[in-house]
Amino acid sequence: MKIMIFDQGHPVTEQLLTKAIEVFGTPESGTCEIVLARCIGKAHETAADQLQKTVAEERPDVLLMGATALGEEIAPAMGIRLGTGVAAHCVDMELRYDGEVVFLIPAFGGRVIGEIMIPDVQPGRPAIATVKPDIFSADAALVSEINENNRLRVIDLEPAGEHRGFQLTGRQPRPRAAVDIGKAELILCGGAGLGSPETWQRLENLAKALGGAAGCTRPVVDAGWGPDESSMIGTSGRSVRPKVYIGFGISGAAHHLCGIKDADVIISINKDKKADIFNASDHKGVFNAEDVLSALEEEIGL
Amino acid sequence: MVILVLVKPVPDPEKYNEIQIDPQTKRILRQDAAAVLDPASKCALEEALRIKSEVEAASGDARCEVIALSMAPQTNRDKILECLAMGADAGYLLSDPAFGGADTYATSYVLAEGAKAILAAEELDAFDLIIAGNESADGATSHVPVQVAEWLGLPHLARVCELQIQREGAEGQEGAGGTPVIAATKKTEEMLLTFRCEEPALVAVTRDINKPRHISAMGIVKARKKPLTIWTNDDLKLDEAKIGAAGSPTKAGELMTPDLSRGGRDLTEEDGSAADAAKAILALLRKEGLGA
Amino acid sequence: MDFRFTEEQELLRSAFADFAKEEIAPYAAKWDEEDYVPMGIVPKLGEMGIMGVFVPEEYGGAGLGHVERCMALEEVARYSAGLAMMVFTHHLGVAAILDYGTEEQKQKWLPGMCDGSCVCGLAVTEPGGGSDVAGLKTEAVLDGDTWTINGRKCFITNSHCAGVTVVTCKSGEDEKGRAIMTTIAIEKGTEGFAPGREENKLGLKGSFTGELVMNDVKVPVENTVGEIGKGMPITMKELGEVGRASMSAIELGILRGCLEDAVKFAKERILYGKPISKLQAIQFKIADIRCDYEAARLMTYNAAAMKDAGKVGAEFSMAKYFISEAAVRAARNLSEIMGGYGVVNEYAAGRYLRDAICCLPSCGTSEIQKMIIAGETLKKW
């Protein structure tokens, strides 16, 4: 089986590589060959055309890529150009005994997980799957071992040809949160239940004082209290895997629960004793979020 | 100017937490949850209507027609009516049992063919712009807009959080047409990228691009006179092997609701206070080697 | 007989419901607690077409009928009966101008009333009596081209915010000494015309209810609404047809609030180890609220549809009487289902009960309605 991974220069590549080896086997085992189609920088603009050519030459059975802003446009385009199916935002994949690849994808905000198969796969008409960053974790030791021993074939996609359509006219970095929730070991998360931007600010300060990061849900972003989507946790936001997650005034909608399911310890504070999040938590407290915030501030002398 | 807006009815997102799977059939237990217009579709339509107001305000002769298109069962006719009531000038619904069971590949194919049929019916050469929502509430694949663009051979841009139409050569000239130029801002993980496109294209917009307007009683009355067309496959005459489940390269298997339960032990005694909870939390953090 | 809304009406209803959920529901409790009148929402009500839903398009309205008007009131009242009172009183004045005004008056006032820049009012009740309309004392004397008006009105909704108020005045006496009435429009700011004291009400907070004082108010005869001397039939018609249907719709909104909150609470409240919705006593109360709601709904829209068809009857009185009593019943049932929570202001049950009771005297008390109903029944049956 030949697996091609579209490497757009994003950490999700290492995550995909780790998962691919886990599912399909290591290159040494002889069961599969893994090829990296690397596309960096300016090459992004003509990525679709170049990738299409590379797939025609390499004829992989499976094409994997990160569901990043770029990947989300390339993958479905490839689906149409190659006449094949695309499994979007996979949360898992399996190789069944009969050689069939099964992808697991979320629907209805993550409330439902469904199996997707792409039966009519042929070399050159691969099954395509996208995976959001941080759904899988990268095995750093494995990845560096493979790189050191050159066990991976890398094909570089060069920028080529005239690029019609949308021309890039400017780029600006987005303001980022002080501590990225993707790497934090401790995350304090606040929702609309905090009530005001002032209380949100207190949560951010408390997170910082405890050496952690502040995450949020969509209503906080929409209300303009400060954080943007990079701090938003959920199926349409980020997935996180901290050691400890503490939710303040979070009710526990399915999409948010999916985003935090890989945390080691989940602690939740909510004044509604029927909040859905309590069942998905290790520890719970039926309290007003602000009261616990104040108590924590007092305990650590903030 | 003509803008096509792709809209999608979805089961009401407010009810997703209650969805149950039938343990036997592994299918969703159908609830009566009514379908609503997908929130991202509404943002797409709102953006088109905003552009329409701007274009028509800028010059007395300028006209911008907004057409809504959807592929859905006929029970969703009222969603198209809703688009007309919001301000769209015309609405089309592609509806046929043969379109059912389609994945994004077959859905985008039918929508693309529908778009072509609209051009023929309205005697237009091309749409100046096609707008869709970036991600729908139910499937959230984000595939259909890009795939429709591919079928139609149009450039596409997704995750668009800001959109402007500039009309070349129209400044200060009454009635001067000018080709519409699309200026769009795309949000990536780290960057805000601005783009410019001088030919007809498709953009998929994120929900933070605008706040869709309320439908008013006046809008609903005006909608009565606007054309709402329903086409079946008898009208489109598409090859049955390319539509619906038959035309879908992906096949759906079993469904499950993930079991995320962890037990939820109380942090404090029954009459514990917030202060007790705070102490318990800090103790847990210390146990994990975290905290100040 | 198809008692369901058409596809278009259903779309309209959900448009009003979405608007109410977003713009009214989050604030209703606060408006009630602070007795705050949300004038800021009036332009939005104008944009939605709620202020002028039954006014023809040529004057800036939506050009729909009274069924749609009642729908709007029901959806607003579901969350804020107080705000709905402002809207319905506005509709009363608008209807008088629409039905009886001159073309000049309609062109002058209706567009502003439809877009929300001008709230309208209708002033009838006086300290001397509300049920006794024939006994009202506000006097209007015509001298040449000018009316001079003196008197006081009380319990007038929109007293402190109406841009134009249609005032029922005594303009003369007939040969038997009975009062002859004329309805006259007075604009805000007219010298001698001003709101007086503002009432502190038990319920229906979120709308102004107060006095109007007229001290030698001079208005041109062009402000006469309808014919001189026809004030009584005009007032009675508008109160009877527009007013009572409105009150029915408002009380229907309160009823729906009671039903939805009762079901929600019953399913969530755990006693004896299970939700109280499993207990028959609770189920019986919910069944009563439901039946009251369904009957109220049919009566309201039947009356509204009859008016749209141009037919008039005691249906409006029957609806108002039945539904106002039903709303009080349902609010009480809800409060009892909720036990202690029913009398705690964090929940809406108390507000529903207070609002329902305050609806009883509006547009005719239950006793007045029963007299009208009996009169028609004895004649026709």
Side-chain angles (χ1 to χ4, degrees), chain C residues 33-76:
Chain C
E33 193 183 312
E34 296 172 7
D35 204 356
Y36 172 74
V37 180
M39 292 307 295
I41 206 179
V42 176
K44 292 186 189 176
L45 291 169
E47 264 169 34
M48 281 299 294
I50 290 176
M51 296 300 267
V53 62
F54 63 107
V55 175
E57 286 173 84
E58 67 202 273
Y59 302 115
L64 293 166
H66 288 268
V67 166
E68 289 79 16
R69 191 181 69 83
C70 285
M71 235 190 250
L73 287 170
E74 182 191 342
E75 296 304 328
V76 171

Side-chain angles (χ1 to χ4, degrees), chain C residues 67-112:
Chain C
V67 166
E68 289 79 16
R69 191 181 69 83
C70 285
M71 235 190 250
L73 287 170
E74 182 191 342
E75 296 304 328
V76 171
R78 159 58 185 99
Y79 295 104
S80 176
L83 179 60
M85 292 300 285
M86 183 211 289
V87 178
F88 118 77
T89 304
H90 168 84
H91 287 168
L92 267 180
V94 168
I97 293 167
L98 187 60
D99 292 340
Y100 298 102
T102 61
E103 193 54 41
E104 288 77 28
Q105 287 170 339
K106 292 186 213 181
Q107 301 276 1
K108 184 175 176 195
W109 288 319
L110 289 179

Side-chain angles (χ1 to χ4, degrees), chain B residues 14 42 74-79 81-83 85 211-212 214-225 228, chain C residues 7-8 11-16 18-19 21-23 46-50 53 57 60-64 114:
Chain B
E14 309 256 312
K42 272 197 181 160
Q74 279 212 30
T75 45
N76 291 295
R77 197 197 107 95
D78 58 342
K79 308 295 173 293
L81 191 62
E82 208 180 309
C83 294
K211 184 167 178 296
H214 287 292
I215 294 174
S216 71
M218 284 78 83
I220 292 175
V221 170
K222 288 203 187 97
R224 286 178 190 161
K225 299 203 189 78
L228 201 172
Chain C
E7 179 183 60
E8 187 189 273
L11 182 58
L12 186 65
R13 192 205 61 73
S14 63
F16 288 150
D18 285 345
F19 175 82
K21 241 195 251 174
E22 197 180 311
E23 305 281 351
E47 264 169 34
M48 281 299 294
I50 290 176
V53 62
E57 286 173 84
L64 293 166
C114 291

Side-chain angles (χ1 to χ4, degrees), chain A residues 73 117 164 169 172 174 281, chain B residues 156 186 188 192 194 199 264:
Chain A
E73 290 206 55
M117 283 78 72
R164 312 172 20 233
T169 56
Q172 217 191 318
R174 288 173 58 186
S281 304
Chain B
H156 52 78
K186 177 188 171 95
T188 70
L192 284 171
T194 50
E199 52 192 283

Side-chain angles (χ1 to χ4, degrees), chain A residues 67-114:
Chain A
T68 57
L70 178 67
E72 265 182 9
E73 290 206 55
I74 301 287
M78 287 296 108
I80 301 300
R81 294 181 188 204
L82 304 172
T84 183
V86 186
H89 305 157
C90 303
V91 294
D92 208 349
M93 53 185 92
E94 296 166 4
L95 180 62
R96 299 257 162 103
Y97 66 89
D98 56 0
E100 184 176 48
V101 182
V102 176
F103 303 98
L104 285 135
I105 66 171
F108 301 109
R111 171 75 181 162
V112 169
I113 306 283

